[in-house]
Amino acid sequence: MCFTGPKFGAALDQTKIVLYAALMALFVGAVLSFSVGRMLGRPLSRLAHTAAGLRQLDFDGAVRLPRSRLAELDDVNQAFNGSIGALNAFAKYVPRQLVSRLVEEGMTDARNVEIKEMTIVFADLAGFTTMASQMSAEETAAYLNGYFETVSGAIVERHGTIDKFLGDGVMAFWGAPSDQPDHAALAIAAVKALAETIEQSPSAAMRVRIGVHTGKVVVGDIGSSARMNYTVIGDAVNVAARLQEYGKQVDPDAKVIALASGETMAGLPAGAGAVSLGPVSLRGRTEPLQVFRIA
């Protein structure tokens, strides 16, 4: 008769050893997983946070991602940092506030065009050609950049969009891409703020002419597949430009002269201050236009 008790006990002991080893392996695996998760989680969370800021076009506030001991993650961080630098440089050549509004409105598809009533503003430096002939290239650029900063600030603070810089001139509009029922009032407020800033400027040589007009325009993506601009075209744009030019005839020596059409004044609250110049025949137009001096 065989006695098998010890063999059974030995097998049980081996089972316990295997079980304990498995539990230890699970524990070590859990610790390693937790550690790796934290090692990856924080950088990925930082990456997601920075990416969210970039979606809001906050390139200046984007924090560069640090180096990582994980080669793959380090490659991702460095590539992402390079993208931030490239986007920040590119943003200097596009109207950032316009792109932000297009993204918010979901209007990022090409060939987005519509007809809207909007208010257009043209601002131009009077006598700049003569003044520039007496300055160096560096002085000319510095002077223009300072002027454009002043104009841009007044426009953007009143929710306008800078369409383009035209030599020493600026074209801006209100009423798109976001709906702005008070676009005429916002444009006039921006013009008056700009006029006040220019009037208080210590530079006696800085003189500005401004034209403002409200009317129907075509607004949207205009251009080719290689280069696209979100801009406005139409007769209302031409009228605003002609009003700016007409300021030279009204008061050629004024530090600031801003003229607005009757259509723009009709969109202002009752009692808005302006001096009527009566009906005026502008270059290129057959019918007279009611013109008001607002600054």
Side-chain angles (χ1 to χ4, degrees), residues 5 30 55 71-72 74 82 92 131 150 155 168 179 183 193 201 210 214 222 228 239 265 282 288:
R55 189 181 185 280
E72 293 80 0
D74 186 64
K92 293 179 172 61
M131 184 169 50
T150 300
I155 293 170
D168 58 345
D179 288 331
H183 52 83
S201 170
I210 305 171
T214 300
I222 308 295
M228 193 78 65
V239 172
M265 298 304 297
L282 298 177

Side-chain angles (χ1 to χ4, degrees), residues 210-295:
I210 305 171
V212 189
H213 181 58
T214 300
K216 295 284 187 179
V217 295
V218 175
V219 57
D221 301 320
I222 308 295
S224 67
S225 58
R227 183 177 178 85
M228 193 78 65
N229 285 330
Y230 186 89
T231 187
V232 293
I233 57 175
D235 184 61
V237 179
N238 299 329
V239 172
R242 297 290 183 266
L243 283 170
Q244 176 269 126
E245 293 176 359
Y246 186 72
K248 183 187 300 184
Q249 300 181 39
V250 177
D251 193 346
D253 299 321
K255 192 171 178 67
V256 179
I257 178 167
L259 303 180
S261 66
E263 286 80 357
T264 297
M265 298 304 297
L268 301 185
V275 177
S276 175
L277 302 183
V280 172
S281 296
L282 298 177
R283 180 171 65 87
R285 292 185 62 83
T286 56
E287 296 184 3
L289 182 77
Q290 289 292 329
V291 177
F292 296 80
R293 182 170 182 174
I294 57 175

Side-chain angles (χ1 to χ4, degrees), residues 192-221:
K192 289 188 174 182
L194 174 60
E196 183 177 354
T197 301
I198 298 297
E199 289 284 5
Q200 296 174 355
S201 170
S203 175
M206 182 177 288
R207 295 185 296 114
V208 180
R209 293 193 301 266
I210 305 171
V212 189
H213 181 58
T214 300
K216 295 284 187 179
V217 295
V218 175
V219 57
D221 301 320

Side-chain angles (χ1 to χ4, degrees), residues 6 46 76 95 114 144 149 255 257 284 291:
R46 189 183 298 116
V76 171
E114 57 185 330
L144 271 180
E149 284 287 346
K255 192 171 178 67
I257 178 167
V291 177

Side-chain angles (χ1 to χ4, degrees), residues 30-40:
V31 171
L32 289 175
S33 298
F34 180 76
S35 300
V36 172
R38 287 179 63 86
M39 188 181 299
L40 292 174

